[in-house]
Amino acid sequence: MKKTEHSNKIRHPLLFFLFGAGSYACLELIARGRTYFSMFLAGGTGFLLIQRVCNGLLGRAGALLRCAAGSAVITGVELVFGLLFNRRHNVWDYSGRRGNFHGQICPLFSLLWALLTLPAMRLAAWMFRGLRRA
């Protein structure tokens, strides 16, 4: 493996992570007026996984399946980060929502994540194409 290929294998995921982290933190600031470091980490992890799972592993599948997978990915990230950070720091609380699981995830936000997956997939694919050319 050439040195540039090796550095791209490290740099590209890092760029996806940092873009997703910063974007999600900005969305939180716009929507709620505040964010937390765990949201930065969750946003980066989610965006990186959207690229890997929805555009990579399921890249040839239909949009509906890919959006459902994106919802599962983001909801899973939300659950993990919720159990690790949110229960101590109370960043969000879905306990008043129907079908919630320990106040960390709920069906309403899983649906929202499915809708958010489509533009996230398109943005990640655009970034991936640009990075491959660079």
Side-chain angles (χ1 to χ4, degrees):
M1 179 182 309
K2 294 179 188 176
K3 186 177 180 180
T4 56
E5 288 177 26
H6 180 70
S7 65
N8 284 344
K9 286 186 182 261
I10 294 168
R11 184 176 31 151
H12 290 178
L14 180 62
L15 290 173
F16 278 96
F17 177 85
L18 291 173
F19 180 83
S23 296
Y24 192 74
C26 286
L27 284 173
E28 284 258 302
L29 288 170
I30 291 167
R32 299 183 336 145
R34 63 186 171 91
T35 192
Y36 194 72
F37 83 94
S38 63
M39 296 294 85
F40 181 84
L41 299 174
T45 302
F47 191 69
L48 177 59
L49 289 173
I50 290 295
Q51 171 57 25
R52 294 286 174 111
V53 173
C54 299
N55 288 344
L57 185 64
L58 298 174
R60 296 188 186 271
L64 188 60
L65 176 62
R66 292 167 63 204
C67 285
S71 174
V73 162
I74 297 170
T75 300
V77 168
E78 186 176 41
L79 178 61
V80 168
F81 279 83
L83 294 174
L84 290 175
F85 299 105
N86 188 45
R87 294 179 90 177
R88 268 184 260 139
H89 302 286
N90 200 26
V91 180
W92 72 90
D93 183 6
Y94 298 151
S95 60
R97 305 269 181 193
R98 291 184 88 155
N100 78 84
F101 181 74
H102 296 289
Q104 305 306 303
I105 57 173
C106 71
L108 177 64
F109 275 80
S110 292
L111 177 61
L112 178 64
W113 304 142
L115 297 174
L116 184 65
T117 296
L118 190 58
M121 285 188 307
R122 291 198 172 146
L123 182 57
W126 176 79
M127 286 177 61
F128 186 75
R129 284 190 303 272
L131 289 170
R132 287 186 67 188
R133 286 188 212 123

